[in-house]
Amino acid sequence: MQQRRLGQQGPLVSTLGLGCMGMSDLYGAADRGEAIATVQAALERGVTLFDTGDFYGMGHNELLLGEALRGRRDSALISVKFGALRGPGGEWLGYDARPAAIKNFVAYSLKRLGVDHIDIYRPARLDRQVPIEDTMGALAELVQAGYIRHIGLSEVGAQTLRRAAAVHPVCDLQIEYSLVSRGIEAEILPTCRDLGIGITAYGVLSRGLLSGHWRQPSGSGDFRALSPRFQPGNVERNLALVEGLKQFAERRGTTPARLAVAWVAAQGEDIVPLIGARRRAQLDESLGALEVTLSDADRAELERLLPPGAVAGDRYGEHQLRDLDSER
């Protein structure tokens, strides 16, 4: 497994990271034993970056990841998102990035994970009630105290990035980026490169749409049932696009998922795709992207098959997009 550095001053991490959200939340029921086995298999394959959130399953994901990494903590870099508020029914209640709240959140995350520090700590979204300078100042204090090693951000725009980086170095921005979600290319990605901030790209398979395996949401707990790209009218158009990707993958002797992951990884050494595998079979398929080298002709064909703006439907619903500083 080769490594990439997250930003000019961030840590070295594996070329691909593992996003753990689906092991606890939002994609329907998951098998706990298989999830833990998947994390451990990723470690054995050289994956070092593991991404979670304190609100994934209301703490369940951190407990699961802590169990999976027990005795292997030194082999892993843990990235934690905080700030999203949820109710006992799983409902979303907003965001909180006040300095006092941040210190409360990190205390609970350290306990659930069973660690003495978190490698990368980041607000899940911009809290519009709190100046980003206040949030960054509180995070900087946690760095100085040794509770976190690096500060990251998630789904913020170029202006916020510049204001945040003026307070303390930011190692990476976690944001959606895929063959069909390319909004960061206009302003956010150039700003990150100007500031020396890396990218951890989530949604590289567009929530399974680009995997070549998707058929329908897996149950009432699967948020894709409400996702615009999976709604009637949109999903048929999108699956038609994916059919072309599947045919191209067959000609290349690989799979759509591997092509999609390889495309994101090929966009720059400062970009680390997060693969959202919940099972070892999914992990194996995604890690196979490391064996795919895209030629100029391959990239041109992917651009032809999936040009910017071709996908039907937004990446989030309207009310969620309103919360995204990156979409402003």
Side-chain angles (χ1 to χ4, degrees):
M1 175 71 73
Q2 294 184 343
Q3 293 186 316
R4 295 181 172 185
R5 187 171 297 281
L6 284 181
Q8 292 179 348
Q9 302 182 48
L12 281 171
V13 300
S14 50
T15 298
L16 301 181
L18 182 63
C20 300
M21 180 185 75
M23 298 175 180
S24 299
D25 210 359
L26 301 175
Y27 283 90
D31 183 288
R32 180 182 179 85
E34 180 62 21
I36 291 173
T38 300
V39 171
Q40 294 173 344
L43 274 171
E44 291 163 5
R45 296 282 295 274
V47 174
T48 62
L49 179 62
F50 296 85
D51 182 76
T52 184
D54 63 10
F55 50 91
Y56 292 166
M58 286 64 78
H60 177 274
N61 203 239
E62 288 182 317
L63 290 167
L64 184 148
L65 186 59
E67 180 179 344
L69 296 178
R70 191 169 299 143
R72 307 187 189 190
R73 170 67 176 101
D74 292 343
S75 300
L77 286 97
I78 301 173
S79 169
V80 177
K81 290 184 291 297
F82 70 87
L85 305 177
R86 302 187 68 179
E91 62 272 25
W92 300 89
L93 304 174
Y95 302 94
D96 191 349
R98 293 170 300 140
I102 293 171
K103 293 175 182 178
N104 176 76
F105 291 144
V106 77
Y108 281 80
S109 287
L110 290 167
K111 182 67 69 174
R112 284 188 291 259
L113 287 163
V115 300
D116 62 3
H117 73 275
I118 292 168
D119 299 289
I120 308 172
Y121 199 54
R122 72 184 80 240
R125 298 288 188 267
L126 179 67
D127 182 348
R128 301 190 186 283
Q129 306 304 312
V130 180
I132 190 63
E133 290 83 359
D134 291 359
T135 298
M136 290 295 295
L139 290 170
E141 291 177 6
L142 292 175
V143 172
Q144 188 171 7
Y147 293 118
I148 65 176
R149 294 288 189 264
H150 303 278
I151 299 173
L153 292 171
S154 178
E155 287 288 357
V156 298
Q159 181 181 1
T160 301
L161 282 168
R162 293 191 182 279
R163 289 172 56 190
V167 177
H168 188 280
V170 176
C171 73
D172 71 305
L173 172 67
Q174 190 172 121
I175 196 163
E176 186 167 352
Y177 189 38
S178 72
L179 273 166
V180 294
S181 294
R182 298 176 59 175
I184 72 169
E185 294 176 345
E187 184 179 15
I188 292 175
L189 182 55
T191 299
C192 283
R193 288 174 169 163
D194 182 48
L195 296 171
I197 297 172
I199 296 285
T200 43
Y202 75 87
V204 293
L205 297 182
S206 193
R207 297 158 182 80
L209 186 65
L210 299 178
S211 69
H213 305 307
W214 190 88
R215 290 296 176 268
Q216 60 184 5
S218 58
S220 59
D222 191 330
F223 85 105
R224 289 172 294 186
L226 301 175
S227 177
R229 290 180 180 173
F230 294 88
Q231 296 308 298
N234 287 344
V235 70
E236 291 83 4
R237 290 174 56 188
N238 293 334
L239 289 176
L241 287 174
V242 175
E243 190 59 34
L245 180 64
K246 290 171 66 174
Q247 293 173 9
F248 179 50
E250 290 175 5
R251 295 196 299 272
R252 283 284 273 102
T254 185
T255 70
R258 287 173 175 168
L259 278 180
V261 175
W263 182 88
V264 175
Q267 300 312 299
E269 291 292 318
D270 53 351
I271 298 175
V272 174
L274 296 173
I275 53 178
R278 302 199 298 168
R279 300 186 298 275
R280 283 168 286 182
Q282 294 173 323
L283 176 72
D284 288 342
E285 180 172 21
S286 290
L287 290 181
L290 296 169
E291 302 168 6
V292 176
T293 300
L294 298 177
S295 67
D296 290 343
D298 291 334
R299 294 191 195 196
E301 180 64 6
L302 289 170
E303 291 277 350
R304 187 188 70 81
L305 292 169
L306 294 162
V311 70
D314 291 326
R315 60 193 184 103
Y316 285 110
E318 183 179 356
H319 69 288
Q320 292 169 299
L321 287 176
R322 286 198 299 267
D323 286 333
L324 295 184
D325 183 62
S326 55
E327 291 289 332
R328 290 179 177 267

